[in-house]
Amino acid sequence: MTTLIVVKTVEELKSAPEEFREAVSKLVISHAVNELYGAQVFDEPAIAFAPTPYAKWLTCRVAMEEYGHHVRFKQLGVQMGIPEERMVPGTGKRPLSIFEFPLKTWEEFVAIKLLADLAEILQVEDLLHCAFHPLRNLARATMPEERFHAQFGEDFSAELVKTEDGKARLQAAVDAYWPYLPSFFGGSKSRNNEIFRKWNIKQRTNDEMRVDYIKRATEVATKYGLTLPALQQAA
Amino acid sequence: MSAPLAHPAAALAALRGEVRAASWFAALGEPLTGGELEEAQGYAGALGLGDLDILPARDWADAERHLKSPDWSTAWWDGEDALRRACLAEAEERHTERALWTALTDLTTEAGDLVHGRAATAAARAGGVSAATIHVAAGAAAHAVYQVALARLAGAAALPFETKLRLFAAGRWPLGVVGKTLALF
């Protein structure tokens, strides 16, 4: 059941119920840490693999935008009183498993932008009506950039699939990364998600988001003649 | 090991001011002045790639062709990147990791947003420029700021980075080296 409160400012958050405050803190920390991991593990290293100056500088900008998302979530966290060290890697929150695999090729980066950034879009979409308005507004600010990053994945996928070799390399990257992506959305019986929905901080269950994600990822992969390998088990 | 510098954020204060005052992308497509040609030749010379011709890009489409050319010089990019890595290693000696990283991230985030807006304005005036190409312009400019920031935090005389930033500050966009030419928009 949703509990209808609206928190319009960081100042108002101080008098919100403790469970609400803890829930939004968890989300802000999670976004700050994961945005930073993504930029460090994928976006910045990808600059070296990009095939032309055009692609390199485009990747530079995308990396800076991802770092910028981390900076913005961290700034909100600081305003909320979250210690900075909780919003950077290596100090508590475990990263998503996909971040444990160092990037090795341009095709891997394109696959990540195509599919992992779509997962990020769904996560941000779920915050667009968040009851904590500073977080809602931040989600709205980052959304156009997230959409651009996914479009980047589509544009370079379209380039790669023009040749048989390029398409094979991109498909191999999709095969390698896809199995890790649906678990982005958390466990089916997540207590955190239950609390997020109770307070109207998030809208959907993890499973609803995962099902939607798999559908949308399948559509975008199909658009470029790619297939998504069968998942071993529903995450 | 070199003597510690001021806190990295404080050490970058002057650069932050230069970034705000620069005429990002304001002179794209305009005829090159003698001073700009000299500056561009200085940049080419500092890269150590031998004599390069300076080739003006006429418009955004022409610039995009240069940036996507299959004949682009990896020696140019790799040379700059080797210098960047040397500056980074020295800067890491001089500053704590957290302070260095935070100062660079804050600066490039601010600079990235600023140059992106300027690139979008210049592109809107020209018309017909894709969102991706505006991102490329912003990426190039913000990358130039990042390179200079690293050089200054390292206390290094990184002439190619300083020269390139001056070209950007004058409203130009050095597009890189293709064959024996340095393209300048």
Side-chain angles (χ1 to χ4, degrees), chain B residues 48-131:
Chain B
L49 295 175
D51 287 336
L52 297 177
D53 295 327
I54 310 301
L55 181 71
R58 292 184 306 276
D59 52 30
W60 285 81
D62 197 22
E64 202 173 309
R65 273 193 296 278
H66 286 291
L67 293 166
K68 291 180 174 175
S69 169
D71 301 326
W72 70 281
S73 165
T74 52
W76 154 65
W77 185 277
D78 293 345
E80 281 201 4
D81 206 48
L83 181 58
R84 179 193 67 82
R85 280 185 270 113
C87 291
L88 177 60
E90 180 60 30
E92 284 173 339
E93 287 285 317
R94 292 178 167 218
H95 303 282
T96 65
E97 184 187 0
R98 174 74 69 81
L100 175 65
W101 185 87
T102 302
L104 286 169
T105 305
D106 287 352
L107 174 71
T108 52
T109 298
E110 180 188 329
D113 287 347
L114 188 150
V115 299
H116 201 134
R118 299 291 178 84
T121 301
R125 288 193 186 114
V129 182
S130 72

Side-chain angles (χ1 to χ4, degrees), chain A residues 192-207:
Chain A
N192 280 339
N193 179 266
E194 202 176 299
I195 294 168
F196 296 151
R197 286 182 296 113
K198 169 186 169 185
W199 292 105
N200 201 28
I201 294 166
K202 294 187 76 172
Q203 315 298 312
R204 299 199 283 178
T205 67
N206 289 344
D207 281 345

